[in-house]
Structures are given as C-alpha cells and as structure tokens.
Amino acid sequence: MDIQLIVKALKRSLPVISLLFFMLPSTLNAQAFCALRDPAEAIQKLYPQSSTYRSVVRTIDESVRQEVSAKVPPHALHFSELGRHTLYMVFQGDNPMGYVHVRSEQSEWGLVEIAWAIDMDMKIADFTFQRCRNRYKSTIESDSFKNQIKGKDFEQMKALLVAEQFTLRTDALVVEPKAVPLAQVLVRCGIKTLLVTELAWREEIVKNELLDTARSSFSNTVDIEMVSRPVTTQVLSSLNNEFDGASPGIDRSSVSLAKVLDDSGAILGAMYRGEVNIDRKKSAIIWAVAPDGEVINIVNRSGWQQNATKQAFESNVGKKFTTGTQCSDRTQLTTMEAVLTAQPIFVVN
Amino acid sequence: MSNTKAFQRLAGLFLLLALSSATKADSYMGRMVDSAADNSRLALDFSSRGSHLTKQDPIAYTHALGFDWLTVISDDKKDIGTLLLQGYLTRLHNTQMFPGFFQDEDDTEFVYRIFNFNYTALPGNLPNIRIGHMEVPYGLEHVINTNGTLRQYAQPKNLGIKADWGVSLNKQHKEFEYEVAATTGGGQSLDRQDGSYVFSGRVGSPRDENFSYGVSLYRSKLKNLQRERLGIDARYHIGLHGIFAEMSLGQNGDIEIRNAQVEWNRINRRENITGFTQLRYFSAEQASGRYADTLDGSIGIRYSPDNSWTLSSQYTRDIDTAAGADKQSVFSIQVRYRYFPLNRK
C-alpha cells in the first residue's frame, strides 16, 4: 500500500470535508432511515387486545433536553438522544388504549432498547425489551418484577432512585442482587421516557385525555375539537372582573380547551384542562361543562392526593356557576374559572 | 426502461400525492397528507470513498450526494403505510469494479437505493405490501442494512443483485417475521431485462432477539443466467460481541454453488464504534466435477463521532483464489455526512 497515494486521496477529499464541517449541526442519528422499523411485535406484546396503532413523529430538541436537565439533573439527555422520535398511539377499535414509546439507554452491555407501554393517564402500563444483551433480562421481564413497575407515574418512578443519583434505593424494589444494574438502567429509562413523552407529545396527550374524559362525561361524544387560544383577552377580562384581578390558582398558560362534538358536529359541551397546585402537588384537572354552564364532571387523571379534596371538587358536579359570589372555597373558584373560560364556545355556537 | 423514465413515472405518482394536498384540509386525504408532512424525517446524505486496489494507480473514488426521506402516512387511528425514498447522484472516478448500471469507471448516475412504499393498513395477520425499489430479501443483508457503507455481505456476488424494483409481502409477528418478493431483475431499471426476474424470500425469528436465525429461498434469471439458492443465516449477540453467519447452496445454471460467510464484530458501550472482521467462502463446481474455491477476508472499523458524521475504513484481501489467479487486496476509507434540514414540531 502506497502511503503517498492515501495522503493524496485525503488531500483531494479535504475541500469537500472542510465544506461539510461548516454546515449546521444536525439532530438525528447517523444511520440511514431504512434501518428504522416500527416496534410492531412489541406493540402486539404490550397491547394484545389492540387493533391498530398510529405513529406520531416529533422532534426532541434542545428545549426538551434543557427541561429534562432541569427536572431530573442526573438523567440529562445525551445529544445522540435528540432528533425525530416516534410515539405510537394504540387503539382498540375507535378507542385509544395508550401509548408505546421506545427509548435506548446506555449500559455496560451496549444500548438497552426498551419499548414502554404508557396508559392514558401517563403511568407505566408495561414494558418489554426490544434489545438487551444482559443475561438478567428475563428476571427483569418476570411478572413479579414488572408488577412493581406497572402503574407508576413519573414522580413514583423518580422515587425509586436515590435522590439526584443513578442508584436504586435499597428498599424500592425486590430484585435479585445480580439483576440490580439492569433494574437501574430500566428505571432510569422509564423516568426519561415518561418525562420526554409528556414534553414532546404534550399536544397529543392532552387531546387524548380530553377525548377520553369527554366520552365518559357526554354520551354521544364522537370527537373533540381543540380551541387554539382558550384564554383570550375577552376571557381574561371577564376573569379579572369576576375575581377582582386575583386568580384562584389555575396556571393559565397551561390551559387547554376543547369543544365536544356529536356525529352531526353539534357542540355537546366543553372540556377544560388546567394545572392547579393542590395538596402540595401540581395536578392537571379536567372539567366537563355543559352549554348551560352546568358542571358535568371533574376529573384528576393522575389521581386525587386526598379523599377530602376529591369530595370537595366532586361536590361541584351538577351545579351551575354564574357569579363569583356563589363560591365559598377554592374548588368552587377554580370550577368557576373553568366555566367562564369555556363560555365563549357556546356563544359562538 | 431508462432511469429517467422510471423517475418520470415516480414523479407522476408523487405529483398526484402532492395534488391531493390541495383538497380541503379536513378531508380524509388531506389528513393523510398532513400526517405525511408531520411524520417526515429528511436527511441530505453526502459520502466520499477512496479505495486502493493492489497494483492499481490511481486511487478509485466514489462520491454520492443524495436524499434519504422517510415518512409515515396515517389516518386518525392507524398507520396506512411507510414511504422511504433514497436517491443518490453517484460519481465514479477510476472505479474498476463498478455495478452494471454504470457505463464505465468514470460515470455519473442517479442511483435508487431503497425507494418504496410499504402499505401496512391490512388488518390482523394479513401482510404488509411493499412496492418499489427494495433490498432482495435474503440472508443477513435482509436484517442488517449495508446500503452506502463499506461493510458488505455476499449478496451481490452470491445472488447477482442486491436491490430491485418489484413488490413484496412482509410482516413482523411476535414469533417470526417474513418478506417474500417478486421483482423485475432490472436492478436500477423498472423493466425486465431479457426476460429477467427475481423471486426471493426470507422467514426468520424476530431480529431483536440475542439469537436470531432465518431461512431464505431465491430463484432468478439475470443476464440469461438462472440462479437458485437455499440459505440459512444466524446472528448471536453476547455482551458487546456479535457473531453472524450465512451459508448458501444452489446452482448458477448447471453449476453447483456453495458459499458461506462469517463475521465477528464488537461495539463499544455507546455503540458509536463498530469493529468487524469477515471471512467469505465461495465455491463453484467445474466441468471436471471438482470445485474451485475462493476465500477472502475483511477487517473494518466504523466510527460515528456525532449524529451526522461517520468515518469508516476497511481492508479486504483474497486469501485463496481459484486456479491460481492473482490475489487482490483493497483498502478503503469513507467519510459520510448526514445533514437534517427539517426541524418540524
């Protein structure tokens, strides 16, 4: 082999290489797209009753990476985890059953690829390894281990690890000692999956939450239509008048609103979703409101922290809220805000 | 038919798709077009390869500039199909060993790599239907994509073709996966060449398992030569190591053919470095009834420092040649850069 020839070749390629170096940075994996495949077998395993699934591709970008770093500092996303990723929405007939998201986590044995089933309330429903070269894979996939993970939400998964660390809390899970390293990888991956899914696919998740709750609140619900700017200047002005410029505590930047439609397209009601700090936890609460202002349903999809809070909110169901003077506690004030924000939907109708 | 005509046909198809986007946005077709836009992944792909063949001067170059576009078309509740289009303007310079769709060693052609639509909306256990330019489903190549990379398996030498225009039925089940294809044998051309055809198929266990295997069947007529093959392949992963093997038996016309290949590879924990070594054995029956055996080996490495760049190098050498032919060796280096211009929601 003539070294001079190689040097000559590299010299010739140099202008092209230099030009490429100046190009913008990218956000995807270096492999060609023909290597990407749907996790069809995993979806069948995780949701045996499912009939179809739909891919939703979104970008996990620097803003998501920063939010993950802020919320779970030890679990920052590596740059190779950024780029276009797919969330699979799984259906049984017309009804959404949940989601599947596949994430890779670095380990001592190369990348471990896990397909996560997430239910409509953003809790772990199940998981399966797409690829794992650790010999304790079957231990972690056993029912006895899985049952300790199923049903956990982001906060509960986070609580399995020693705060701000990668290590599993000794009392968190029952697992044989040799399988602990893989269990740690799994929990870390689960934490990131729940958080990243919520951040990157928020729009789709909120819509599904509202549709699911609408179906249990209004019979004849066929679809919902999201309202693009729910808190308009007009709504804000009416809220300020009603509450004298104060706020009952709903984070107005988090509000989502949807019209509930029957098969003819007529509006059956409205679904309002807002994030509220209750019982020292930020919770997303959904109100179903009828066109006459009657509250049809109030749901906290992540579960109420205290029974008293649940009862206080649910006591507002069946009531109509028209003025702030009717309100004697915070549950009624937040309900009043939901009803007032939803009202313009029915006026337009 | 020429590549130009093939391209015109496809352009017409995509024009129809584009026109459908003009339908009102809330129509069924409009929603599918929206989903194709939202689910789109696009990369511009540049690669430059230099290869030095024994006793040959100067170095052979292959430069490729192309696009890699993948999207999923969906309606409200299900995926309809996956569209994957890869087209590359490919320039050869002093490349003595070139595929048949190039005119000579200094040619430039527009090359289709994978260019197909896989319809996935049939219910239950019914298969997906792929139409377009696809890899011939056979052996290890069906599981490990090597398009545009230095690392290759024996597909072109064994089967006479690597990718072709046609139609296939395919599906992944929990316990097994399969793809069965009927293609024209035209390679880059949509049309059959002198009555060419290719039938091929592979049934295998799920490829994501640490041990997976498959059985392949192949029958073709290419350049008036009829080939038949029966192949088995297997992959075993243990920790960071992988051992892959493939073996085929069959005939080229009346000549008995036996071939085999084995690969050992190792990745690092981040999986951005892959090292591999391969041995390939090819044996053809002679008129005397004896077999002429050839054996060659490769050693290579691939390094991806980030999401865009891939640097790879490979050295291939003949270990044993038939009838005392000269032993050749090839040393190759490739730089590949993928740029992602779209950054949608």
Side-chain angles (χ1 to χ4, degrees):
Chain A
M1 178 67 57
D2 188 340
I3 296 295
Q4 280 185 334
L5 278 173
I6 295 171
V7 172
K8 206 165 114 186
L10 288 173
K11 273 185 180 172
R12 276 195 189 183
S13 308
L14 210 57
V16 180
I17 295 169
S18 309
L19 178 71
L20 295 177
F21 263 116
F22 283 105
M23 293 188 144
L24 291 171
S26 63
T27 55
L28 274 173
N29 198 287
Q31 66 181 344
F33 296 143
C34 43
L36 301 180
R37 292 189 328 139
D38 286 346
E41 313 102 281
I43 292 171
Q44 283 177 47
K45 263 189 218 172
L46 295 169
Y47 292 99
Q49 308 302 320
S50 65
S51 52
T52 57
Y53 63 84
R54 177 163 80 89
S55 302
V56 183
V57 181
R58 293 290 178 265
T59 302
I60 295 178
D61 58 12
E62 183 54 29
S63 68
V64 174
R65 201 181 82 88
Q66 284 178 6
E67 282 199 66
V68 172
S69 297
K71 288 194 172 170
V72 281
H75 309 292
L77 297 179
H78 188 269
F79 283 100
S80 64
E81 294 180 78
L82 304 183
R84 302 281 280 165
H85 290 264
T86 307
L87 180 72
Y88 300 89
M89 293 169 57
V90 183
F91 293 85
Q92 182 179 27
D94 287 344
N95 300 317
M97 300 176 77
Y99 311 98
V100 170
H101 185 53
V102 181
R103 285 205 77 73
S104 298
E105 193 68 30
Q106 279 182 43
S107 77
E108 294 294 307
W109 330 278
L111 297 178
V112 174
E113 206 172 271
I114 305 167
W116 292 93
I118 303 167
D119 70 16
M120 300 292 289
D121 298 325
M122 293 304 291
K123 293 175 180 168
I124 302 292
D126 203 350
F127 65 85
T128 184
F129 288 104
Q130 284 256 105
R131 202 187 73 172
C132 175
R133 295 173 182 177
N134 181 290
R135 68 176 70 173
Y136 296 99
K137 173 186 162 186
S138 54
T139 307
I140 299 299
E141 280 193 316
S142 66
D143 285 345
S144 60
F145 183 83
K146 274 188 171 181
N147 289 337
Q148 300 177 74
I149 299 289
K150 285 181 184 178
K152 290 199 163 27
D153 64 14
F154 169 70
E155 293 295 339
Q156 290 166 323
M157 286 291 283
K158 216 170 84 170
L160 296 175
L161 298 180
V162 176
E164 308 291 300
Q165 286 184 36
F166 283 132
T167 16
L168 210 55
R169 264 186 26 234
T170 48
D171 59 341
L173 294 167
V174 179
V175 57
E176 66 176 274
K178 286 180 176 173
V180 166
L182 184 57
Q184 283 177 176
V185 167
L186 179 105
V187 171
R188 268 187 354 235
C189 184
I191 290 168
K192 281 204 251 183
T193 299
L194 287 173
L195 185 54
V196 166
T197 305
E198 191 142 357
L199 292 171
W201 285 272
R202 186 177 187 279
E203 203 178 294
E204 288 74 22
I205 289 164
V206 166
K207 188 177 176 189
N208 276 335
E209 276 184 4
L210 293 181
L211 178 60
D212 198 45
T213 314
R215 284 186 168 143
S216 60
S217 305
F218 298 96
S219 53
N220 304 324
T221 298
V222 168
D223 202 359
I224 60 168
E225 184 185 314
M226 298 302 291
V227 175
S228 56
R229 279 186 61 241
V231 187
T232 58
T233 318
Q234 185 196 350
V235 166
L236 209 52
S237 157
S238 99
L239 293 176
N240 284 337
N241 285 341
E242 205 59 55
F243 302 123
D244 292 331
S247 162
I250 296 179
D251 174 0
R252 287 176 185 156
S253 66
S254 73
V255 168
S256 301
L257 184 66
K259 300 172 188 173
V260 183
L261 308 172
D262 67 10
D263 58 357
S264 68
I267 297 178
L268 296 171
M271 303 304 298
Y272 175 101
R273 181 188 187 275
E275 290 177 5
V276 190
N277 273 314
I278 41 170
D279 300 333
R280 282 173 286 181
K281 188 186 171 191
K282 197 168 199 178
S283 300
I285 299 180
I286 296 172
W287 284 264
V289 182
D292 62 359
E294 183 186 342
V295 176
I296 304 295
N297 198 1
I298 303 177
V299 175
N300 180 351
R301 294 193 61 112
S302 55
W304 299 99
Q305 293 285 295
Q306 293 180 19
N307 208 32
T309 310
K310 179 178 186 263
Q311 285 173 355
F313 270 98
E314 287 179 352
S315 67
N316 298 319
V317 173
K319 292 180 184 168
K320 289 181 184 173
F321 287 80
T322 48
T323 88
T325 53
Q326 292 173 262
C327 304
S328 57
D329 64 21
R330 194 163 159 240
T331 70
Q332 292 182 342
L333 286 167
T334 50
T335 303
M336 175 83 196
E337 174 154 343
V339 172
L340 287 176
T341 307
Q343 279 311 307
I345 286 181
F346 309 120
V347 174
V348 172
N349 195 37
Chain B
M1 191 173 72
S2 68
N3 281 348
T4 315
K5 275 194 179 169
F7 190 77
Q8 281 169 349
R9 282 187 190 176
L10 283 159
L13 180 69
F14 295 118
L15 182 64
L16 277 175
L17 268 177
L19 284 173
S20 67
S21 67
T23 58
K24 57 180 183 176
D26 59 348
S27 71
Y28 184 73
M29 185 63 85
R31 287 202 300 276
M32 286 203 294
V33 172
D34 285 348
S35 73
D38 285 347
N39 290 338
S40 176
R41 289 170 161 101
L42 176 67
L44 300 181
D45 196 339
F46 309 84
S47 68
S48 195
R49 177 186 302 182
S51 297
H52 181 246
L53 191 68
T54 317
K55 296 171 189 166
Q56 183 196 320
D57 187 20
I59 285 172
Y61 290 95
T62 305
H63 308 289
L65 164 60
F67 61 88
D68 181 1
W69 184 46
L70 171 71
T71 191
V72 183
I73 299 167
S74 313
D75 67 14
D76 291 341
K77 294 180 183 66
K78 64 179 181 302
D79 288 348
I80 306 293
T82 305
L83 186 67
L84 175 60
L85 307 180
Q86 298 175 332
Y88 289 76
L89 191 67
T90 307
R91 165 84 179 142
L92 304 184
H93 181 62
N94 293 322
T95 305
Q96 302 298 323
M97 293 187 296
F98 54 86
F101 47 84
F102 287 98
Q103 304 299 315
D104 55 44
E105 70 271 23
D106 288 305
D107 192 16
T108 302
E109 291 285 341
F110 185 82
V111 176
Y112 300 99
R113 288 187 186 168
I114 308 300
F115 209 88
N116 63 53
F117 178 69
N118 196 23
Y119 179 75
T120 57
L122 291 177
N125 289 328
L126 291 173
N128 304 325
I129 303 169
R130 192 190 308 279
I131 183 162
H133 197 246
M134 66 192 80
E135 281 193 320
V136 170
Y138 188 95
L140 288 172
E141 183 69 45
H142 187 236
V143 186
I144 302 155
N145 185 275
T146 61
N147 276 313
T149 67
L150 292 178
R151 182 190 188 189
Q152 294 290 321
Y153 295 99
Q155 194 105 320
K157 186 173 180 181
N158 184 26
L159 307 184
I161 196 163
K162 184 170 174 177
D164 199 10
W165 292 97
V167 62
S168 85
L169 303 179
N170 61 89
K171 190 86 171 181
Q172 304 165 48
H173 291 277
K174 271 190 285 187
E175 306 302 332
F176 71 101
E177 58 176 63
Y178 69 88
E179 181 151 19
V180 182
T183 58
T184 63
Q188 284 293 308
S189 168
L190 264 176
D191 289 341
R192 296 171 69 192
Q193 310 286 315
D194 298 326
S196 64
Y197 65 86
V198 175
F199 295 115
S200 57
R202 179 181 180 275
V203 182
S205 59
R207 66 184 68 185
D208 295 320
E209 296 295 326
N210 288 337
F211 176 65
S212 64
Y213 56 91
V215 177
S216 304
L217 277 173
Y218 174 85
R219 184 188 172 98
S220 72
K221 186 181 166 196
L222 299 167
K223 294 179 182 168
N224 289 316
L225 175 63
Q226 196 150 321
R227 286 181 172 86
E228 288 177 0
R229 295 286 188 278
L230 166 65
I232 54 169
D233 63 87
R235 296 188 308 152
Y236 181 56
H237 292 280
I238 177 164
L240 301 172
H241 301 263
I243 298 166
F244 302 170
E246 180 183 314
M247 194 172 78
S248 289
L249 295 173
Q251 292 171 322
N252 284 0
D254 296 329
I255 299 171
E256 295 287 330
I257 301 291
R258 305 183 298 208
N259 65 58
Q261 57 184 318
V262 62
E263 173 184 296
W264 167 77
N265 60 60
R266 191 188 189 282
I267 50 172
N268 65 337
R269 289 175 194 166
R270 280 185 61 195
E271 295 197 16
N272 64 336
I273 302 176
T274 305
F276 61 91
T277 182
Q278 300 174 325
L279 274 179
R280 278 177 292 267
Y281 165 78
F282 191 86
S283 180
E285 189 187 24
Q286 304 297 290
S288 62
R290 298 178 64 184
Y291 280 84
D293 298 339
T294 64
L295 183 68
D296 67 80
S298 296
I299 183 162
I301 187 160
R302 189 182 65 191
Y303 170 52
S304 300
D306 63 19
N307 288 343
S308 286
W309 289 96
T310 303
L311 312 170
S312 44
S313 178
Q314 180 175 268
Y315 178 67
T316 300
R317 182 183 171 81
D318 288 333
I319 298 167
D320 190 14
T321 53
D326 279 353
K327 289 179 182 170
Q328 299 270 9
S329 65
V330 186
F331 178 73
S332 305
I333 294 178
Q334 178 172 290
V335 179
R336 187 173 185 179
Y337 180 83
R338 285 167 63 80
Y339 169 63
F340 307 96
L342 285 185
N343 199 11
R344 291 172 174 276
K345 66 180 180 180

